Each structure stands twice: as C-alpha cells, then as structure tokens.
Amino acid sequence: APLPPEREKDPEYWRRQAQETLRNALRLQRLNQNVAKNLILFLGDGMGVSTVTAARILKGQLQHGQGEESLLEMEKFPYVALAKTYNTNAQVPDSAGTATAYLCGVKANEGTLGVSAGVTRDRCNTTKGQEVTSILRWAKDAGKAVGIVTTTRVTHATPSAAYAHSANRDWYSDGEMPPDALEGGCKDIARQLVENIPDIEVIMGGGRKYMFPKNASDVEYPHEEKHRGTRLDRRNLVQAWHNVKPPGKVAKYVWHRRELLALNLSRVDFLLGESWHPGVPRAQLGALGGPLACPGVLGQLEWPVILAASKGCRYPTLGILQALHEAVELDRAIGLATRLTSVQDTLSVVTADHSHVFTFGGYTPRGNPIFGLAPMQSDVDRKPFTSILYGNGPGYKIVAGERENVSAVDFAHADYQAQSAVPLRQETHGGEDVAVFARGPMAHLLHGVHEQNYIPHAMAYAACIGSNRAHCNAGARPAAPLLLPFLALLLLLC
C-alpha cells in the first residue's frame, strides 16, 4: 500500500479539518429563508451515489491529485438528502416515471410522462384528464422566464416531463406512434414541445429529426438516411415554433455551437438549439448536443440563471470512461452556475432520476487510477479485474469458456465496457435511493429521506410559485430583485 501524504500523518491535520467543518455547520443554524428569485435543477440521469464518488476521484486525478480528497462542486452544497426513486408500478424505476416525480411532483407509472398513475403505458385512451403540470409550468404561470438545456434529445423522457403528457415516453414524433394512439387524438412529444408551453425562452438539446417531415434531409447530414425527418404529418415544427412567437420578439433557431456563440443573446427573446443527437464521439463535441457544450452554454446565457438538467453518455451503450468524464463535465457546469449566481436569491438543486448497477471495489489502494485494476486477482479464476464493475450489461464476456482476462484488453480505452455479472445487451437502472444536493433559499427543506416527488414542491415553496404561497407575504424575506427572474431546466445523463 502507498504511504499517505505527509500532512495526513499528523493527527492535527484531521482535527483542524473537522473543526473547520464544524464551524461551517454551525453557521447553517442561521437559515436562509429568502424567497428564491431563481431556481436551478441539475439532473444527472443515472447518477447514483457510487457514480458521484467515482466522479469525485476522477476529478481529483485529472487535477493530478490522488483523487479521494477531492470535492465535486455539488458536494460543496450544504444540504444533502436522499430521494426514493421507485415508480408507482416499479421497484426499479425508469426515467419517465422519475421525471414526472421530480418535475411534476406526482409519482407515476413506468414509461409514462407528465400524467398520474391512472395512465397505463401505451394506452392513449387512459390519458385524458390525468395530465399533471410541472414546476416549469408553475414558474411560467408566475411570470418567470424558463428554459430547458440538455445533452440528450429534448424529447427524451427526462426533459420532456417538463412540458409533455404522454402514455409512452417513446412517442417522440407521430412517426413513432401506433395507429390507435393517433386515432385517439394523443399528441407526440415533439409537437407538445411546440404547442403545450409555446413561450419557453430557452430550449437546447438534440433530436431535431423529430421536428421535420418524414424523409426530409438533415441540414448537417443530408445524405444519411438515419438522420432524416420522421414526422408523418409533414409538419415543420421549427417553423411552427417560430410562428407562435409574439410580434416584435426575436426568436433564433441554431443547430451548431458556432451559431450559438455568434449570437448576441442579450438581443434574443427565444432560443431553440437542436443538434441531430447527443451521442457523438468526444472528438466531435462541437455540436450542440455534446456534453462539453454545457458549461460553455451557461457562460453565454445572459439571463440571470438556468434551472437545468444535463444528460450525457448512456451507460448501456458507451464506455465507463466516457460516463464518468461526463459526470465531471456536469460538475463543471454546476460550478459555473454557482459562480454566476448568489446564494441569497438562487436555489440550486443537484440530483439524479435513478441509479445504475455500477460499483467499484476490490481493496484498491489510495490514489489507484479510477479506471484501473484492483491490486489482486480473483481467488476463484485467478484473473485480474478492474475496480469498476457492473451487476449486469454488455460487459459480460466469456472467452474460451472462462471470464475474459482484462489484462489482455485496453481497459482504459474510452469505449471499454466494464465487466458485468449478468449478460444483457443494455445495462439496467439501479433501484437504490439517489442523493439530492441543495444550496440557497430554503435549501434546508431538502433533508433526510424523501419521496422523489417532494423535490419540486420544496423548490416551488422556496420560489413562491405553485400551490404553497401563503408564506410569501409573511415570514419569508424577499431577496434583492433581479431584472428577469429565470427558471430553466438543464438535464445530464451520466
């Protein structure tokens, strides 16, 4: 085992550290009960506690430290809670039911968006009258500016619960809907993006093919069939988005990062940015959907702040190295948002929709590369193993009747899929609770263990939007006013 850093050999090092932490904790007795002028929600899709820990170590090692002593920006938030992620009909949840919980304040069935548990997946005729509204709608009704920034498609389950009501999370356009759903009058998610809340100030993400007529050539990949439009109704929803804007307002549509950076955003009232899809190689992350665009986007926006969820690489399809790097990128965006805002008037919350069956262990020594091998071999098959492993997924490999010898492969490659215990084409979600980090006005309302649907209610209470407003004129002190109260939704899958 390596020797610990010299300073850590001194007991006074740890005592001083603990006393400083104690002093900071005692300051939290003076609760921040200001009214939140701004709300920010960062959502790491699949970002379980084990992922947070591994991302912390990676961040420290990228900064040439041992890693374990590092702190993520989210870990600097003073209040931490746990959220129970189960869906109303699922012990291990999916992203649609969980998004309905933390955005709409109501738990729902697996695979359904923005509706109550009275809706059955795939059953269009169960939807009417079961729609539930999101905190984004509550903020709009209160006169706030709102936005969605995501590194997945804007019609994906995680961001779309902010504006859509659907019996199936996969109904991205009418081209993905069955005939009975179309005949029953249900609307696809992309159409709802344009029609349900037409005055969302900022919408950024991927999935533009769902906005264009079937077989329409893509602006960036005109010769590739898989990128062509999918809409059966032949509508151009980007044009429809433009058409519903009030006279005199400036609405800009961009599809590449360079177009975004060329804009004078102080002169833009509405912004729609869509790449073809976020799942591009890291070498091509100039497009809007790339996760590296997130911190840059935050720096460019000139509204006060963003309520955000940011999605990146999906564990089942990409390597663990990419997934953890995207968690670090999310943390960069959190840090930037923290520097751009004030704890006196901005409530920031960082959480996840669910976990994954991701773990790391193996008695690794201090400072062991997070993507490296455990310092031991299996005492059963006498082969080495990486410290990071999965409970199930595509990393399950049998070579010559035995577990693959990882020392014979490049386990540090960006596309390497860590070994798993059970073979599946796609790794599954995990069912354990996820962390909730909070900072700013009324952040202390997020504490202990909560049902996931409590999160937007606490945030709405802090901002005096939604149903709980009796305290707003007596008790809570308003913070200094801003020119434009802003609530945005920035969504990251890691």
mmCIF file with all atom_site columns, all heavy atoms in Angstrom, residues 455-472:
data_model
loop_
_atom_site.group_PDB
_atom_site.id
_atom_site.type_symbol
_atom_site.label_atom_id
_atom_site.label_alt_id
_atom_site.label_comp_id
_atom_site.label_asym_id
_atom_site.label_entity_id
_atom_site.label_seq_id
_atom_site.pdbx_PDB_ins_code
_atom_site.Cartn_x
_atom_site.Cartn_y
_atom_site.Cartn_z
_atom_site.occupancy
_atom_site.B_iso_or_equiv
_atom_site.pdbx_formal_charge
_atom_site.auth_seq_id
_atom_site.auth_comp_id
_atom_site.auth_asym_id
_atom_site.auth_atom_id
_atom_site.pdbx_PDB_model_num
ATOM 1   N N   . ILE A 1 455 ? -39.424 16.880 -4.268 1.00 0.00 ? 455 ILE A N   1
ATOM 2   C CA  . ILE A 1 455 ? -38.419 17.856 -4.700 1.00 0.00 ? 455 ILE A CA  1
ATOM 3   C C   . ILE A 1 455 ? -39.027 19.105 -5.330 1.00 0.00 ? 455 ILE A C   1
ATOM 4   O O   . ILE A 1 455 ? -38.714 20.234 -4.913 1.00 0.00 ? 455 ILE A O   1
ATOM 5   C CB  . ILE A 1 455 ? -37.395 17.191 -5.648 1.00 0.00 ? 455 ILE A CB  1
ATOM 6   C CG1 . ILE A 1 455 ? -36.595 16.126 -4.892 1.00 0.00 ? 455 ILE A CG1 1
ATOM 7   C CG2 . ILE A 1 455 ? -36.463 18.232 -6.274 1.00 0.00 ? 455 ILE A CG2 1
ATOM 8   C CD1 . ILE A 1 455 ? -35.708 15.270 -5.771 1.00 0.00 ? 455 ILE A CD1 1
ATOM 9   N N   . PRO A 1 456 ? -39.904 19.001 -6.355 1.00 0.00 ? 456 PRO A N   1
ATOM 10  C CA  . PRO A 1 456 ? -40.423 20.237 -6.948 1.00 0.00 ? 456 PRO A CA  1
ATOM 11  C C   . PRO A 1 456 ? -41.330 21.021 -6.009 1.00 0.00 ? 456 PRO A C   1
ATOM 12  O O   . PRO A 1 456 ? -41.424 22.251 -6.129 1.00 0.00 ? 456 PRO A O   1
ATOM 13  C CB  . PRO A 1 456 ? -41.188 19.741 -8.182 1.00 0.00 ? 456 PRO A CB  1
ATOM 14  C CG  . PRO A 1 456 ? -41.563 18.335 -7.860 1.00 0.00 ? 456 PRO A CG  1
ATOM 15  C CD  . PRO A 1 456 ? -40.419 17.806 -7.046 1.00 0.00 ? 456 PRO A CD  1
ATOM 16  N N   . HIS A 1 457 ? -41.975 20.340 -5.072 1.00 0.00 ? 457 HIS A N   1
ATOM 17  C CA  . HIS A 1 457 ? -42.812 21.060 -4.108 1.00 0.00 ? 457 HIS A CA  1
ATOM 18  C C   . HIS A 1 457 ? -41.948 21.939 -3.204 1.00 0.00 ? 457 HIS A C   1
ATOM 19  O O   . HIS A 1 457 ? -42.313 23.090 -2.914 1.00 0.00 ? 457 HIS A O   1
ATOM 20  C CB  . HIS A 1 457 ? -43.628 20.072 -3.283 1.00 0.00 ? 457 HIS A CB  1
ATOM 21  C CG  . HIS A 1 457 ? -44.681 19.357 -4.066 1.00 0.00 ? 457 HIS A CG  1
ATOM 22  N ND1 . HIS A 1 457 ? -45.879 19.941 -4.427 1.00 0.00 ? 457 HIS A ND1 1
ATOM 23  C CD2 . HIS A 1 457 ? -44.709 18.106 -4.580 1.00 0.00 ? 457 HIS A CD2 1
ATOM 24  C CE1 . HIS A 1 457 ? -46.607 19.085 -5.122 1.00 0.00 ? 457 HIS A CE1 1
ATOM 25  N NE2 . HIS A 1 457 ? -45.916 17.958 -5.228 1.00 0.00 ? 457 HIS A NE2 1
ATOM 26  N N   . ALA A 1 458 ? -40.809 21.408 -2.749 1.00 0.00 ? 458 ALA A N   1
ATOM 27  C CA  . ALA A 1 458 ? -39.900 22.193 -1.916 1.00 0.00 ? 458 ALA A CA  1
ATOM 28  C C   . ALA A 1 458 ? -39.330 23.371 -2.709 1.00 0.00 ? 458 ALA A C   1
ATOM 29  O O   . ALA A 1 458 ? -39.221 24.497 -2.188 1.00 0.00 ? 458 ALA A O   1
ATOM 30  C CB  . ALA A 1 458 ? -38.775 21.303 -1.395 1.00 0.00 ? 458 ALA A CB  1
ATOM 31  N N   . MET A 1 459 ? -38.972 23.142 -3.948 1.00 0.00 ? 459 MET A N   1
ATOM 32  C CA  . MET A 1 459 ? -38.423 24.211 -4.776 1.00 0.00 ? 459 MET A CA  1
ATOM 33  C C   . MET A 1 459 ? -39.478 25.285 -5.043 1.00 0.00 ? 459 MET A C   1
ATOM 34  O O   . MET A 1 459 ? -39.187 26.488 -4.997 1.00 0.00 ? 459 MET A O   1
ATOM 35  C CB  . MET A 1 459 ? -37.887 23.630 -6.087 1.00 0.00 ? 459 MET A CB  1
ATOM 36  C CG  . MET A 1 459 ? -36.716 22.678 -5.907 1.00 0.00 ? 459 MET A CG  1
ATOM 37  S SD  . MET A 1 459 ? -36.057 22.049 -7.470 1.00 0.00 ? 459 MET A SD  1
ATOM 38  C CE  . MET A 1 459 ? -35.257 23.519 -8.125 1.00 0.00 ? 459 MET A CE  1
ATOM 39  N N   . ALA A 1 460 ? -40.704 24.852 -5.320 1.00 0.00 ? 460 ALA A N   1
ATOM 40  C CA  . ALA A 1 460 ? -41.776 25.811 -5.576 1.00 0.00 ? 460 ALA A CA  1
ATOM 41  C C   . ALA A 1 460 ? -42.082 26.643 -4.335 1.00 0.00 ? 460 ALA A C   1
ATOM 42  O O   . ALA A 1 460 ? -42.340 27.854 -4.424 1.00 0.00 ? 460 ALA A O   1
ATOM 43  C CB  . ALA A 1 460 ? -43.028 25.076 -6.044 1.00 0.00 ? 460 ALA A CB  1
ATOM 44  N N   . TYR A 1 461 ? -42.053 25.996 -3.177 1.00 0.00 ? 461 TYR A N   1
ATOM 45  C CA  . TYR A 1 461 ? -42.264 26.727 -1.924 1.00 0.00 ? 461 TYR A CA  1
ATOM 46  C C   . TYR A 1 461 ? -41.217 27.812 -1.758 1.00 0.00 ? 461 TYR A C   1
ATOM 47  O O   . TYR A 1 461 ? -41.513 28.949 -1.380 1.00 0.00 ? 461 TYR A O   1
ATOM 48  C CB  . TYR A 1 461 ? -42.207 25.749 -0.751 1.00 0.00 ? 461 TYR A CB  1
ATOM 49  C CG  . TYR A 1 461 ? -42.469 26.371 0.604  1.00 0.00 ? 461 TYR A CG  1
ATOM 50  C CD1 . TYR A 1 461 ? -43.754 26.392 1.142  1.00 0.00 ? 461 TYR A CD1 1
ATOM 51  C CD2 . TYR A 1 461 ? -41.433 26.930 1.337  1.00 0.00 ? 461 TYR A CD2 1
ATOM 52  C CE1 . TYR A 1 461 ? -44.002 26.974 2.383  1.00 0.00 ? 461 TYR A CE1 1
ATOM 53  C CE2 . TYR A 1 461 ? -41.663 27.513 2.578  1.00 0.00 ? 461 TYR A CE2 1
ATOM 54  C CZ  . TYR A 1 461 ? -42.944 27.534 3.103  1.00 0.00 ? 461 TYR A CZ  1
ATOM 55  O OH  . TYR A 1 461 ? -43.174 28.101 4.329  1.00 0.00 ? 461 TYR A OH  1
ATOM 56  N N   . ALA A 1 462 ? -39.962 27.473 -2.074 1.00 0.00 ? 462 ALA A N   1
ATOM 57  C CA  . ALA A 1 462 ? -38.871 28.436 -1.928 1.00 0.00 ? 462 ALA A CA  1
ATOM 58  C C   . ALA A 1 462 ? -39.047 29.635 -2.847 1.00 0.00 ? 462 ALA A C   1
ATOM 59  O O   . ALA A 1 462 ? -38.683 30.762 -2.495 1.00 0.00 ? 462 ALA A O   1
ATOM 60  C CB  . ALA A 1 462 ? -37.535 27.755 -2.206 1.00 0.00 ? 462 ALA A CB  1
ATOM 61  N N   . ALA A 1 463 ? -39.618 29.413 -4.021 1.00 0.00 ? 463 ALA A N   1
ATOM 62  C CA  . ALA A 1 463 ? -39.750 30.473 -5.022 1.00 0.00 ? 463 ALA A CA  1
ATOM 63  C C   . ALA A 1 463 ? -41.118 31.145 -5.010 1.00 0.00 ? 463 ALA A C   1
ATOM 64  O O   . ALA A 1 463 ? -41.363 32.046 -5.808 1.00 0.00 ? 463 ALA A O   1
ATOM 65  C CB  . ALA A 1 463 ? -39.468 29.907 -6.414 1.00 0.00 ? 463 ALA A CB  1
ATOM 66  N N   . CYS A 1 464 ? -42.007 30.712 -4.126 1.00 0.00 ? 464 CYS A N   1
ATOM 67  C CA  . CYS A 1 464 ? -43.366 31.265 -4.061 1.00 0.00 ? 464 CYS A CA  1
ATOM 68  C C   . CYS A 1 464 ? -44.094 31.114 -5.394 1.00 0.00 ? 464 CYS A C   1
ATOM 69  O O   . CYS A 1 464 ? -44.706 32.053 -5.916 1.00 0.00 ? 464 CYS A O   1
ATOM 70  C CB  . CYS A 1 464 ? -43.335 32.732 -3.623 1.00 0.00 ? 464 CYS A CB  1
ATOM 71  S SG  . CYS A 1 464 ? -42.933 32.930 -1.876 1.00 0.00 ? 464 CYS A SG  1
ATOM 72  N N   . ILE A 1 465 ? -43.989 29.909 -5.959 1.00 0.00 ? 465 ILE A N   1
ATOM 73  C CA  . ILE A 1 465 ? -44.759 29.573 -7.154 1.00 0.00 ? 465 ILE A CA  1
ATOM 74  C C   . ILE A 1 465 ? -45.538 28.303 -6.852 1.00 0.00 ? 465 ILE A C   1
ATOM 75  O O   . ILE A 1 465 ? -45.297 27.629 -5.861 1.00 0.00 ? 465 ILE A O   1
ATOM 76  C CB  . ILE A 1 465 ? -43.854 29.367 -8.391 1.00 0.00 ? 465 ILE A CB  1
ATOM 77  C CG1 . ILE A 1 465 ? -42.886 28.197 -8.164 1.00 0.00 ? 465 ILE A CG1 1
ATOM 78  C CG2 . ILE A 1 465 ? -43.089 30.636 -8.719 1.00 0.00 ? 465 ILE A CG2 1
ATOM 79  C CD1 . ILE A 1 465 ? -42.022 27.865 -9.389 1.00 0.00 ? 465 ILE A CD1 1
ATOM 80  N N   . GLY A 1 466 ? -46.504 27.994 -7.695 1.00 0.00 ? 466 GLY A N   1
ATOM 81  C CA  . GLY A 1 466 ? -47.283 26.788 -7.459 1.00 0.00 ? 466 GLY A CA  1
ATOM 82  C C   . GLY A 1 466 ? -48.326 26.987 -6.371 1.00 0.00 ? 466 GLY A C   1
ATOM 83  O O   . GLY A 1 466 ? -48.821 28.100 -6.145 1.00 0.00 ? 466 GLY A O   1
ATOM 84  N N   . SER A 1 467 ? -48.634 25.927 -5.627 1.00 0.00 ? 467 SER A N   1
ATOM 85  C CA  . SER A 1 467 ? -49.773 25.951 -4.714 1.00 0.00 ? 467 SER A CA  1
ATOM 86  C C   . SER A 1 467 ? -49.472 26.511 -3.325 1.00 0.00 ? 467 SER A C   1
ATOM 87  O O   . SER A 1 467 ? -50.360 27.047 -2.673 1.00 0.00 ? 467 SER A O   1
ATOM 88  C CB  . SER A 1 467 ? -50.345 24.536 -4.571 1.00 0.00 ? 467 SER A CB  1
ATOM 89  O OG  . SER A 1 467 ? -49.345 23.646 -4.103 1.00 0.00 ? 467 SER A OG  1
ATOM 90  N N   . ASN A 1 468 ? -48.226 26.392 -2.846 1.00 0.00 ? 468 ASN A N   1
ATOM 91  C CA  . ASN A 1 468 ? -47.899 26.838 -1.486 1.00 0.00 ? 468 ASN A CA  1
ATOM 92  C C   . ASN A 1 468 ? -47.360 28.266 -1.503 1.00 0.00 ? 468 ASN A C   1
ATOM 93  O O   . ASN A 1 468 ? -46.163 28.478 -1.691 1.00 0.00 ? 468 ASN A O   1
ATOM 94  C CB  . ASN A 1 468 ? -46.858 25.907 -0.847 1.00 0.00 ? 468 ASN A CB  1
ATOM 95  C CG  . ASN A 1 468 ? -47.408 24.529 -0.610 1.00 0.00 ? 468 ASN A CG  1
ATOM 96  O OD1 . ASN A 1 468 ? -48.590 24.369 -0.340 1.00 0.00 ? 468 ASN A OD1 1
ATOM 97  N ND2 . ASN A 1 468 ? -46.561 23.528 -0.711 1.00 0.00 ? 468 ASN A ND2 1
ATOM 98  N N   . ARG A 1 469 ? -48.266 29.253 -1.256 1.00 0.00 ? 469 ARG A N   1
ATOM 99  C CA  . ARG A 1 469 ? -47.826 30.646 -1.357 1.00 0.00 ? 469 ARG A CA  1
ATOM 100 C C   . ARG A 1 469 ? -48.253 31.495 -0.160 1.00 0.00 ? 469 ARG A C   1
ATOM 101 O O   . ARG A 1 469 ? -47.994 32.684 -0.118 1.00 0.00 ? 469 ARG A O   1
ATOM 102 C CB  . ARG A 1 469 ? -48.374 31.262 -2.638 1.00 0.00 ? 469 ARG A CB  1
ATOM 103 C CG  . ARG A 1 469 ? -48.001 30.467 -3.882 1.00 0.00 ? 469 ARG A CG  1
ATOM 104 C CD  . ARG A 1 469 ? -48.477 31.132 -5.149 1.00 0.00 ? 469 ARG A CD  1
ATOM 105 N NE  . ARG A 1 469 ? -47.833 32.411 -5.361 1.00 0.00 ? 469 ARG A NE  1
ATOM 106 C CZ  . ARG A 1 469 ? -48.048 33.184 -6.429 1.00 0.00 ? 469 ARG A CZ  1
ATOM 107 N NH1 . ARG A 1 469 ? -48.905 32.788 -7.344 1.00 0.00 ? 469 ARG A NH1 1
ATOM 108 N NH2 . ARG A 1 469 ? -47.436 34.342 -6.551 1.00 0.00 ? 469 ARG A NH2 1
ATOM 109 N N   . ALA A 1 470 ? -48.911 30.877 0.808  1.00 0.00 ? 470 ALA A N   1
ATOM 110 C CA  . ALA A 1 470 ? -49.413 31.657 1.943  1.00 0.00 ? 470 ALA A CA  1
ATOM 111 C C   . ALA A 1 470 ? -48.287 32.306 2.733  1.00 0.00 ? 470 ALA A C   1
ATOM 112 O O   . ALA A 1 470 ? -48.472 33.361 3.340  1.00 0.00 ? 470 ALA A O   1
ATOM 113 C CB  . ALA A 1 470 ? -50.247 30.754 2.855  1.00 0.00 ? 470 ALA A CB  1
ATOM 114 N N   . HIS A 1 471 ? -47.116 31.697 2.735  1.00 0.00 ? 471 HIS A N   1
ATOM 115 C CA  . HIS A 1 471 ? -45.985 32.224 3.499  1.00 0.00 ? 471 HIS A CA  1
ATOM 116 C C   . HIS A 1 471 ? -45.276 33.378 2.805  1.00 0.00 ? 471 HIS A C   1
ATOM 117 O O   . HIS A 1 471 ? -44.405 34.023 3.387  1.00 0.00 ? 471 HIS A O   1
ATOM 118 C CB  . HIS A 1 471 ? -44.959 31.110 3.719  1.00 0.00 ? 471 HIS A CB  1
ATOM 119 C CG  . HIS A 1 471 ? -44.319 30.647 2.447  1.00 0.00 ? 471 HIS A CG  1
ATOM 120 N ND1 . HIS A 1 471 ? -44.996 29.920 1.495  1.00 0.00 ? 471 HIS A ND1 1
ATOM 121 C CD2 . HIS A 1 471 ? -43.072 30.822 1.940  1.00 0.00 ? 471 HIS A CD2 1
ATOM 122 C CE1 . HIS A 1 471 ? -44.198 29.666 0.485  1.00 0.00 ? 471 HIS A CE1 1
ATOM 123 N NE2 . HIS A 1 471 ? -43.019 30.209 0.726  1.00 0.00 ? 471 HIS A NE2 1
ATOM 124 N N   . CYS A 1 472 ? -45.630 33.646 1.572  1.00 0.00 ? 472 CYS A N   1
ATOM 125 C CA  . CYS A 1 472 ? -44.837 34.560 0.753  1.00 0.00 ? 472 CYS A CA  1
ATOM 126 C C   . CYS A 1 472 ? -44.938 36.010 1.221  1.00 0.00 ? 472 CYS A C   1
ATOM 127 O O   . CYS A 1 472 ? -44.029 36.803 0.987  1.00 0.00 ? 472 CYS A O   1
ATOM 128 C CB  . CYS A 1 472 ? -45.252 34.464 -0.705 1.00 0.00 ? 472 CYS A CB  1
ATOM 129 S SG  . CYS A 1 472 ? -44.948 32.818 -1.398 1.00 0.00 ? 472 CYS A SG  1
#
